[in-house]
Amino acid sequence: MTAPVPAARELASADAAAAVGAEVDNPRSPLLAGFAGSMFMLIGSLGVGWLAPVSELRRMPLFIWMRAEAAGVALSIVLLAVGGMLLVRAWLRLGQRVRIWGEEARKATLMAVVAWGLPMMFSVPLFSRDVYAYIGQGRLMVEGFNPYENGISALSNYFQLGADKMWTEAPVPYGQLFLWIEQFIVWATNVQPEASVMLFRLVALAGVVLCVIHVPKLAELHGVNPNRALWLTAANPLFLTNFIASVHNDALMIGLALAGLYYSATHRVVRGIVLVTLSIAVKPITIVFLPFIGLLWAGKNAGWLRKFSYWALTAALSLGLLVLMSLVNGFGFGWINGLSAPGSIFIWYAPVGLIGLVVASLANSFGLDGWILAGWVFDAGKLLAVGIVAWLIFRGEHDRLIRRLTLAFAAIVVLAPMIQSWYVVWLIPLFAVTGIRNDWQVKALYFVVPFFMIYAISDQLEVFPYLQTADLGLALVLARVAAAVTGLLFGLYLIFWDPRTRSLFRKSPEPVVERPVILPGSSAPPGGTAG
């Protein structure tokens, strides 16, 4: 890893900017377009976002029209789809407006995060109703239940909370810290759904702020342009929608993990381990960070005895803190049972999920129990992921430790039978800080972002059952198809017809958009370090 960028390099970048003009060509246009897209999503959320059945908003005339009338629902779907894709285009165009990835680019990126994220802070939850599961789990604790032993269905009138049916009996997969957050929020709001959602959004916002602070710092450690890394991560529409509009606790999880990783990489390892352990106490998936932090602690030329010693010390510190937290709340490590829930389902676009689906279909056609075979495929994917993680822990260059961690984390996500869009958001900051080159790597991200945006737009819409009638023609499936077609047409426009953005998706011998500062004396090529 290299040291943070010295002042001389910043002056060199400023001189380069002066030679070509402004660092950023009129960022106002994409900033305003993204704000408009976010506002469209806010308005659309009033009609098809997720509300708790007991929400008082359902009685307001505007909400009644947008949620109970065919015209209102149709308008909401169009606004949501167009707004989401406008946000994607604004993000791409903001990147294109940057001449030099200097301080002006950072300022424009931070303005985008605020302008695009602010309307989402006040939207009805979009693309997921996990926040209502958080409320139900918090109510379990307020009423004296152990959430690791009791599902939300143990509560009276639990269906009025608005949680997905999957969570009514499923074990809670969250750690002790997030349970405390859930309990405090439900206690503080007395289970008032809108107030609870807003407090959970503030928790997610804390995670977003941690990412905004530590992504540039981690990028500098790798000789990667910090401002470009921030644009790739924090202004990214997937980042904003999943962490703010969808209110996922993953924002806090990854924010704490990135902060811990930064401190570990800058020789403040105990503080780093504490922060990563707090991340594990939100969602335990970040436990994969610990072996790599142990290697950072051991040092570059450590022998195997020293490596194993620091692995043991890292594990002891983290486990000790987790045990202490479990003793305080008395719930123990019940979240371990909840880790099986995400792996028991699949989705068609996940490579392992698709293979399992094909195997199941073929086996069923021959009279076999295809889903047993599909389960074997899913298990094989998990075993392969474990093998890749182990290989990356034991093999590789010390200077690429965080990149090795990134690849290990990616193996866990990509080889799972179920890949949610927020799983992808876990990976974007890690790849950004260790270098996303301005070639096929960044183009892959350009395709991934609209794909998951289109899928999110069409996946979870709250459309009232009594609208699903022949005379109105607004069955849930038709609503999803309408949202998908709108988003897909916009996506195809961006890729094939938009004179401004279509070049981003084509092979070019020259960098199409990003013109980052090439730091004197740095080995980083344009667009970041080599992957």
Side-chain angles (χ1 to χ4, degrees):
M1 299 176 191
T2 61
V5 180
R9 294 179 182 177
E10 294 292 348
L11 290 173
S13 69
D15 292 340
V20 297
E23 291 184 9
V24 185
D25 290 333
N26 186 23
R28 181 179 298 178
S29 177
L31 288 174
L32 290 176
F35 177 74
S38 190
M39 285 298 298
F40 284 177
M41 294 177 71
L42 165 61
I43 298 169
S45 76
L46 306 184
V48 292
W50 291 101
L51 281 176
V54 295
S55 173
E56 295 179 1
L57 296 178
R58 293 187 183 276
R59 302 190 185 97
M60 296 179 63
L62 176 62
F63 281 81
I64 291 173
W65 182 79
M66 296 192 73
R67 304 179 80 85
E69 297 292 334
V73 174
L75 176 64
S76 299
I77 291 170
V78 171
L79 287 174
L80 181 65
V82 172
M85 298 310 293
L86 267 178
L87 201 57
V88 172
R89 188 181 188 277
W91 174 66
L92 294 173
R93 291 292 293 138
L94 181 61
Q96 287 181 304
R97 296 298 181 100
V98 176
R99 290 180 177 273
I100 298 293
W101 287 97
E103 288 304 313
E104 286 187 22
R106 177 176 295 205
K107 180 181 177 181
T109 299
L110 292 175
M111 290 175 64
V113 173
V114 174
W116 303 348
L118 185 61
M120 297 182 194
M121 287 293 297
F122 302 98
S123 72
V124 176
L126 286 167
F127 311 144
S128 172
R129 43 181 158 164
D130 283 0
V131 67
Y132 297 110
Y134 305 160
I135 296 172
Q137 292 154 10
R139 187 180 154 198
L140 280 172
M141 288 178 289
V142 168
E143 296 188 13
F145 292 96
N146 184 335
Y148 294 143
E149 297 177 356
N150 299 274
I152 297 174
S153 60
L155 298 167
S156 59
N157 295 324
Y158 69 89
F159 50 88
Q160 294 293 329
L161 295 172
D164 193 301
K165 292 180 180 178
M166 184 186 77
W167 287 111
T168 58
E169 298 292 344
V172 176
Y174 307 135
Q176 301 96 320
L177 174 61
F178 195 68
L179 289 185
W180 286 332
I181 292 172
E182 290 176 326
Q183 184 177 13
F184 171 76
I185 287 176
V186 170
W187 170 80
T189 62
N190 195 27
V191 207
Q192 206 286 331
E194 278 67 53
S196 296
V197 168
M198 181 53 69
L199 289 183
F200 278 115
R201 275 220 169 97
L202 292 176
V203 171
L205 183 62
V208 169
V209 171
L210 285 171
C211 291
V212 168
I213 292 171
H214 292 98
V215 161
K217 292 182 177 182
L218 283 166
E220 287 179 341
L221 291 178
H222 289 83
V224 171
N225 188 285
N227 305 315
R228 180 173 180 268
L230 188 65
W231 169 73
L232 288 169
T233 299
N236 193 306
L238 290 185
F239 180 92
L240 294 172
T241 53
N242 280 286
F243 286 171
I244 299 178
S246 299
V247 210
H248 282 299
N249 60 1
D250 304 68
L252 183 61
M253 176 199 79
I254 201 66
L256 287 169
L258 291 174
L261 197 58
Y262 171 72
Y263 284 114
S264 299
T266 52
H267 311 294
R268 290 167 283 183
V269 183
V270 173
R271 186 186 304 181
I273 292 172
V274 170
L275 287 167
V276 171
T277 302
L278 291 176
S279 171
I280 295 168
V282 175
K283 292 186 79 168
I285 188 67
T286 50
I287 197 170
V288 74
F289 280 54
L290 293 180
F292 296 93
I293 287 176
L295 291 171
L296 285 169
W297 202 357
K300 184 171 184 177
N301 298 312
W304 286 110
L305 179 59
R306 181 177 174 86
K307 288 178 181 178
F308 276 99
S309 298
Y310 278 92
W311 277 331
L313 186 55
T314 301
L317 285 172
S318 182
L319 182 62
L321 185 56
L322 289 171
V323 168
L324 180 62
M325 287 190 285
S326 70
L327 291 176
V328 172
N329 67 18
F331 295 149
F333 287 80
W335 48 263
I336 294 176
N337 295 327
L339 297 182
S340 61
S344 61
I345 53 179
F346 73 95
I347 200 162
W348 60 270
Y349 58 73
V352 172
L354 180 60
I355 294 171
L357 177 61
V358 171
V359 167
S361 300
L362 291 174
N364 287 334
S365 67
F366 287 101
L368 303 173
D369 191 336
W371 293 112
I372 290 180
L373 297 178
W376 293 353
V377 171
F378 300 158
D379 290 339
K382 297 171 191 174
L383 287 174
L384 180 57
V386 170
I388 292 173
V389 171
W391 175 267
L392 290 165
I393 290 172
F394 286 97
R395 304 285 294 181
E397 300 174 18
H398 181 85
D399 290 341
R400 291 172 55 84
L401 262 175
I402 296 180
R403 186 66 165 198
R404 286 158 57 189
L405 163 60
T406 301
L407 295 174
F409 212 25
I412 293 172
V413 171
V414 174
L415 293 172
M418 182 70 180
I419 301 176
Q420 302 279 20
S421 59
W422 51 96
Y423 299 179
V424 176
V425 180
W426 302 344
L427 304 178
I428 292 174
L430 289 168
F431 276 109
V433 303
T434 56
I436 296 178
R437 293 197 307 263
N438 192 29
D439 52 16
W440 67 266
Q441 293 184 356
V442 78
K443 292 182 189 302
L445 183 62
Y446 293 158
F447 279 101
V448 164
V449 170
F451 171 82
F452 278 103
M453 180 62 76
I454 293 168
Y455 189 85
I457 287 167
S458 60
D459 181 38
Q460 290 205 32
L461 302 172
E462 187 182 16
V463 176
F464 277 87
Y466 53 78
L467 286 177
Q468 299 180 42
T469 58
D471 47 326
L472 285 178
L474 253 170
L476 177 58
V477 64
L478 293 180
R480 287 178 171 174
V481 168
V485 168
T486 305
L488 181 60
L489 289 175
F490 204 131
L492 292 174
Y493 170 73
L494 292 177
I495 296 171
F496 294 107
W497 300 298
D498 190 325
R500 302 293 186 181
T501 61
R502 63 186 180 186
S503 60
L504 294 173
F505 299 90
R506 286 163 173 74
K507 185 176 180 180
S508 173
E510 299 294 332
V512 177
V513 188
E514 300 81 8
R515 287 155 285 186
V517 177
I518 303 175
L519 304 177
S522 171
S523 60
T529 56

